[in-house]
Amino acid sequence: MKRFNYRAREKATGKQVKGSIQADNKRLAGRLLVQQDLIPDSIVEEGATNPFTKFNNRITTKDHIMFTRQLATLIGAGLPLSASLRTVVEQTENKGMQAVGEEILAATESGKSLYEAFSAHPNVFNGVYLALIQAGEKSGTLDIALARLADQEEKDAAMLGKIRGALVYPAIILVVIIAVLLFMMFAVVPQVRDLYADMGEELPGLTQMLVNMTDFVVNFWWLILLILIAGVGGAIFFVKRTPMGKKVADSFKIHVPLFGGLFRKLYVSRFARTAEMLLSTGVPMVDSVNIAIESVSNSVVEAEYSKAIELIKGGKSLSEALEDREYMLPLVPQMTGIGEESGKIDEMLGKAAKVYEDELYEQIENISTMIEPILMVVMAGLIGVVVGGTLLPIYSLVNSVGT
């Protein structure tokens, strides 16, 4: 038997109550609470707040996709919602995702809608996910909505995998550069310094510079480490915890050379794809555009796109509202205009998203191809400086001894 802490509401009065209950799992704990005329809001196993447990139970993108895909398949096959959720929970291996699934199951069995049950976990399910769940419930196409979500999550994961894959080789080259430089500076340069000291010769300027750098790192490594930790920690806090820091980071993404165009296409394709999904499942226009803007995940771009909302509310079409927006690439309003004339806005937005997604894949490949030779040149230059500062003095000594 496990012990669970719970927060619930009395069915008759709506009064909030807290307590603990023993059960074999979270689903059974929820059932016991329902039998006591309580509507559970939160059920947490005692000891689940251990930080190591949280890390091990972290919900990955793969877990999220599998949960959504399995639920879509089972509902599409005609199983009742409770049976579908129960089966998915039993098949889920990740403990964190399983706990969320059990809470959703307990909530639906207590009378809540699926949308209300999913909404209790905003850290797991974003606004797009919740909007499609709500639209699917209302229209009776929940399986289609879930399948669309799983498809989009898989595309997003593939895109991120592509970006990470493109950066793996450059990262390896960078690590090799740093390792070689450290080896030369700490293993070779001191020997050259000692050799010159034994012979009473003065070090060449380049070699002396390398010796000074090596001595500084050896004597003040703790200061360098402290500055690095403070700098990185301060930068992360500034970007993650302050509105100004987030705005600066988001602005940097869309203006940085080489990568700025890539980020713009990523945000535009994400906006168009999300709007296409929402509109196709019956979500109202303004709500669809609002949620699509939130899915961009860049505060600067979101602020610019949000200007379109007021224009739409004022009676302008979506294509007109998007036409003059900064950071909006021209194909989206053009295709939207065609969709408005033909009555297929969602389909046209999907086609525009597909164009930019394909361009993104190609651009990622090109950037990866460009970075590799640049890093090789940088590596050759840096290693050349270190080699020049270590081997040339040795050749000078040999020549001086020979003469």
Side-chain angles (χ1 to χ4, degrees):
M1 279 286 204
K2 300 176 184 177
R3 179 171 290 276
F4 297 89
N5 296 322
Y6 67 84
R7 282 188 299 105
R9 287 173 288 118
E10 292 180 353
K11 189 175 291 186
T13 64
K15 180 183 177 183
Q16 288 277 353
V17 294
K18 295 181 180 180
S20 61
I21 191 170
Q22 287 187 326
D24 289 331
N25 54 51
K26 189 176 290 188
R27 187 175 76 251
L28 291 176
R31 284 185 178 179
L32 290 173
L33 292 173
V34 172
Q35 290 172 5
Q36 297 173 22
D37 291 330
L38 295 174
I39 301 173
D41 290 326
S42 173
I43 303 173
V44 181
E45 183 182 349
E46 283 191 358
T49 55
N50 185 302
F52 296 103
T53 303
K54 280 187 176 181
F55 180 79
N56 292 332
N57 294 343
R58 184 175 61 90
I59 299 172
T60 64
T61 303
K62 183 180 177 182
D63 297 320
H64 208 281
I65 292 171
M66 287 182 64
F67 181 90
T68 306
R69 178 71 69 190
Q70 289 176 351
L71 187 58
T73 302
L74 292 171
I75 293 175
L79 266 71
L81 180 59
S82 293
S84 299
L85 281 168
R86 190 175 298 108
T87 303
V88 172
V89 168
E90 290 171 354
Q91 292 180 354
T92 300
E93 295 180 1
N94 180 278
K95 297 298 181 183
M97 194 74 236
Q98 191 176 61
V100 170
E102 287 176 347
E103 288 193 14
I104 291 171
L105 178 58
T108 55
E109 288 181 339
S110 68
K112 288 185 177 180
S113 68
L114 191 63
Y115 168 74
E116 291 173 322
F118 274 87
S119 297
H121 305 277
N123 294 330
V124 181
F125 307 105
N126 59 26
V128 177
Y129 202 107
L130 296 175
L132 284 172
I133 291 290
Q134 188 176 35
E137 273 192 306
K138 288 180 178 178
S139 62
T141 57
L142 188 57
D143 57 328
I144 297 173
L146 286 166
R148 282 177 174 270
L149 281 167
D151 290 340
Q152 187 57 36
E153 286 180 333
E154 286 173 351
K155 286 180 181 178
D156 291 343
M159 180 70 72
L160 289 174
K162 192 83 172 175
I163 294 172
R164 292 193 187 104
L167 296 175
V168 166
Y169 181 73
I172 292 173
I173 295 295
L174 192 61
V175 170
V176 171
I177 291 173
I178 295 171
V180 170
L181 288 175
L182 291 175
F183 173 78
M184 296 291 287
M185 290 183 68
F186 291 104
V188 180
V189 171
Q191 295 183 25
V192 175
R193 177 192 57 194
D194 295 340
L195 182 61
Y196 264 75
D198 292 341
M199 298 189 67
E201 296 285 341
E202 186 178 346
L203 285 168
L206 180 59
T207 308
Q208 185 63 55
M209 182 189 73
L210 293 174
V211 168
N212 292 340
M213 289 174 61
T214 302
D215 289 341
F216 180 81
V217 173
V218 169
N219 294 323
F220 296 99
W221 62 268
W222 55 271
L223 179 61
I224 297 171
L225 186 62
L226 189 64
I227 292 172
L228 282 174
I229 293 173
V232 172
I236 291 174
F237 179 84
F238 178 66
V239 170
K240 297 287 187 183
R241 301 288 184 178
T242 65
M244 179 59 72
K246 180 171 174 55
K247 186 175 180 180
V248 169
D250 288 341
S251 179
F252 176 78
K253 288 179 185 178
I254 53 181
H255 292 105
V256 63
L258 192 62
F259 292 97
L262 186 147
F263 276 112
R264 292 188 189 207
K265 287 180 181 176
L266 175 64
Y267 297 142
V268 170
S269 63
R270 189 179 288 171
F271 169 85
R273 181 64 69 187
T274 304
E276 179 255 336
M277 283 196 303
L278 294 167
L279 289 170
S280 65
T281 52
V283 179
M285 173 67 75
V286 174
D287 292 339
S288 296
V289 175
N290 249 326
I291 296 168
I293 290 171
E294 291 174 6
S295 74
V296 168
S297 300
N298 183 296
S299 59
V300 177
V301 178
E302 286 176 27
E304 179 61 25
Y305 286 6
S306 294
K307 296 175 183 177
I309 297 294
E310 295 305 319
L311 296 175
I312 294 170
K313 289 179 179 178
K316 285 201 172 185
S317 65
L318 179 59
S319 59
E320 291 174 320
L322 295 176
E323 194 168 11
D324 297 325
R325 300 279 67 80
E326 193 177 1
Y327 315 124
M328 175 57 69
L329 299 178
L331 186 61
V332 173
Q334 290 172 7
M335 295 293 283
T336 303
I338 295 171
E340 287 166 346
E341 293 176 2
S342 62
K344 299 178 179 178
I345 298 178
D346 55 333
E347 186 178 325
M348 292 299 106
L349 282 168
K351 288 183 178 181
K354 179 68 166 58
V355 169
Y356 287 124
E357 285 166 356
D358 292 342
E359 288 185 8
L360 263 176
Y361 278 113
E362 185 177 349
Q363 195 168 347
I364 290 168
E365 297 259 353
N366 293 338
I367 289 175
S368 175
T369 305
M370 289 171 60
I371 289 175
E372 292 170 14
I374 291 172
L375 282 176
M376 294 298 289
V377 171
V378 171
M379 180 174 69
L382 291 173
I383 292 176
V385 170
V386 178
V387 170
T390 53
L391 294 184
L392 290 180
I394 296 175
Y395 288 139
S396 298
L397 281 178
V398 171
N399 290 334
S400 63
V401 171
T403 56

